[in-house]
Amino acid sequence: MPKIVDHEARRAELAAAVWRLASRDGLDSLTMRRVAAEAGWSTGALAHYFDDKEELLVFAFQTVADRVGRRIVKAAEHTRDPLELVRTQLVEGLAIDSERRAEVRVWFAFLGLAETQPRLAKAGRDAYRLWRERVAKTLAAAQRQGLVDNAVDLKREAAALIALVDGIAIQATFDPRAVSAERQLELLDDHLARLAIASAR
Amino acid sequence: MPKIVDHEARRAELAAAVWRLASRDGLDSLTMRRVAAEAGWSTGALAHYFDDKEELLVFAFQTVADRVGRRIVKAAEHTRDPLELVRTQLVEGLAIDSERRAEVRVWFAFLGLAETQPRLAKAGRDAYRLWRERVAKTLAAAQRQGLVDNAVDLKREAAALIALVDGIAIQATFDPRAVSAERQLELLDDHLARLAIASAR
């Protein structure tokens, strides 16, 4: 029992150190040596957790995904309306404040690397599959409550909504003045409103 | 006159070499030495064109943007219907065949790097501004012809359409089976259909 607690506490410590480094200095900073220094560990202790840099990057990616996932779960506790929950599941992917902007930066830097590294590519693929499943599941609840038309293909709609959010976050990252937090939310809400309008036909 | 021709021919030669390297081996392969070798130039001759690696990356990014831009211009010559032209301007950003998949891979790898490199970030920002302007301009033509409702905010709609296309391309890159070429086009056409439906109300 104490061993498991130790292990989880140490993983959380590591995740925090990796996140501080990645968000502050970019993914280039994620070397075994720098992560060990940031966590206050020896590189030997770190090598117990990661075989190589690619594993470290997958862990960093998972750390970002977990941060976002935890916020969604927390928000879901206070949300009864499934369409509002869909919105929550999507807003967490937008670059609307400094914390989320940092997450988006790390996320897309990771995706850039993932294209040439198979384990990162698998982590990316799995993350998007999980996200699509979650959104589709919430949309299904909305459909059961008559908030979304039965003709809407939920898997397809989930993919479109997530695509929209990702693309908004990209434009916002490069042009925060033209694509402000307010504009980002407008673009998402435009799409959600059309989805709801479709149900009212 | 011959000097200009030489210069442009040599730039085109360089662009082709940079594209071959980047699409085959990723952005890591874009070192002065490897680009010179691929183009059959001396590194001294290459140094005449690029001061450093960041300039080389900006050039590579511009090369991808130019490839896409040329295809759009060419397609526009045969397209009278502005809504069809909007579709063409967007389809070129999807990962629907091997050529476009390679472009998307290079594009997002570049965006990943751009987050920490100011000149790349500017190139990214400018590319998205230009893309938004072009799409908004074509949407304006559609609006003048009564194909899109006058209430639609064109700049906002252009940003949403481009966001959707970018996000679709990301999911397709990581999961080509789940997000096939056919599915990518469906997702875009769903959105365009809703835009056109809005005009028919």
Side-chain angles (χ1 to χ4, degrees):
Chain A
M1 188 65 178
K3 255 193 171 167
I4 293 169
V5 171
D6 273 7
H7 184 73
E8 298 215 332
R10 282 175 78 79
R11 275 193 79 86
E13 221 176 80
L14 256 189
V18 161
W19 169 248
R20 282 196 304 275
L21 267 180
S23 59
R24 195 179 63 214
D25 303 329
L27 294 185
D28 282 346
S29 69
L30 293 185
T31 62
M32 299 291 262
R33 219 166 55 167
R34 289 193 63 183
V35 169
E38 181 75 27
W41 295 18
S42 68
T43 48
L46 193 68
H48 194 66
Y49 284 78
F50 306 110
D51 281 341
D52 55 23
K53 165 121 187 170
E54 202 173 342
E55 264 185 32
L56 192 56
L57 283 169
V58 169
F59 179 77
F61 182 69
Q62 202 53 56
T63 298
V64 179
D66 288 349
R67 288 170 65 90
V68 177
R70 270 197 304 275
R71 285 205 307 271
I72 289 176
V73 168
K74 206 174 159 193
E77 290 168 6
H78 307 285
T79 311
R80 293 272 166 83
D81 175 7
L83 273 184
E84 211 178 298
L85 182 54
V86 167
R87 186 176 188 272
T88 301
Q89 288 172 325
L90 294 163
V91 164
E92 290 301 336
L94 293 175
I96 52 174
D97 56 29
S98 63
E99 187 183 358
R100 286 169 184 78
R101 267 195 297 276
E103 287 166 359
V104 164
R105 267 202 316 274
V106 172
W107 184 269
F108 288 114
F110 178 93
L111 294 186
L113 292 179
E115 291 170 6
T116 50
Q117 302 188 37
R119 276 180 290 172
L120 304 205
K122 188 185 175 304
R125 193 190 66 197
D126 291 348
Y128 279 102
R129 284 191 180 173
L130 183 65
W131 199 6
R132 285 197 296 266
E133 275 164 28
R134 280 185 179 158
V135 170
K137 204 176 145 189
T138 317
L139 284 172
Q143 210 172 42
R144 280 194 302 275
Q145 294 187 23
L147 303 168
V148 168
D149 194 273
N150 281 327
V152 170
D153 179 331
L154 301 181
K155 280 178 83 173
R156 189 158 146 180
E157 189 56 47
L161 282 163
I162 288 167
L164 181 71
V165 163
D166 263 354
I168 293 170
I170 289 173
Q171 289 181 59
T173 299
F174 288 103
D175 209 341
R177 228 183 313 166
V179 188
S180 63
E182 195 190 350
R183 170 55 59 103
Q184 292 178 61
L185 293 168
E186 280 172 0
L187 293 174
L188 174 58
D189 287 334
D190 281 351
H191 190 111
L192 288 173
R194 282 175 192 163
L195 188 62
I197 283 168
S199 76
R201 264 188 225 128
Chain B
M1 187 67 178
K3 253 193 174 169
I4 292 168
V5 171
D6 274 6
H7 184 73
E8 299 215 332
R10 283 175 77 78
R11 276 190 78 86
E13 220 177 81
L14 255 190
V18 161
W19 169 248
R20 282 196 304 275
L21 267 180
S23 59
R24 195 178 62 212
D25 303 330
L27 294 184
D28 282 346
S29 68
L30 294 186
T31 62
M32 298 292 262
R33 221 167 52 167
R34 289 193 63 183
V35 169
E38 180 74 27
W41 294 19
S42 68
T43 50
L46 193 68
H48 195 66
Y49 283 77
F50 307 110
D51 281 340
D52 55 23
K53 164 120 188 170
E54 202 172 342
E55 262 185 33
L56 192 55
L57 283 169
V58 170
F59 179 76
F61 183 69
Q62 202 52 55
T63 298
V64 179
D66 288 348
R67 288 169 63 91
V68 177
R70 270 197 305 274
R71 284 204 307 271
I72 290 176
V73 169
K74 206 174 159 194
E77 290 167 8
H78 308 284
T79 312
R80 293 272 165 83
D81 175 6
L83 272 184
E84 211 177 298
L85 182 55
V86 167
R87 187 176 186 273
T88 300
Q89 289 172 325
L90 294 162
V91 164
E92 291 300 336
L94 293 175
I96 51 173
D97 57 28
S98 62
E99 188 183 357
R100 286 169 184 78
R101 267 195 298 274
E103 287 166 0
V104 165
R105 266 203 316 275
V106 172
W107 184 269
F108 287 114
F110 179 93
L111 294 185
L113 292 178
E115 291 169 4
T116 50
Q117 301 188 37
R119 276 179 291 170
L120 305 205
K122 187 184 176 303
R125 193 189 67 199
D126 291 347
Y128 279 102
R129 283 191 180 173
L130 183 64
W131 199 6
R132 285 197 296 267
E133 274 165 28
R134 280 186 179 158
V135 170
K137 204 176 146 190
T138 318
L139 284 172
Q143 209 171 43
R144 280 194 302 274
Q145 294 187 23
L147 303 169
V148 168
D149 195 272
N150 281 326
V152 171
D153 179 331
L154 300 181
K155 281 178 82 171
R156 190 158 146 178
E157 190 55 48
L161 282 163
I162 288 166
L164 181 71
V165 163
D166 263 354
I168 294 170
I170 288 174
Q171 289 181 60
T173 299
F174 288 104
D175 209 341
R177 228 183 314 167
V179 188
S180 63
E182 194 189 350
R183 170 57 57 103
Q184 292 178 62
L185 292 168
E186 281 172 1
L187 293 174
L188 174 58
D189 287 333
D190 281 351
H191 190 111
L192 288 173
R194 282 175 190 161
L195 189 63
I197 283 168
S199 76
R201 268 190 219 123

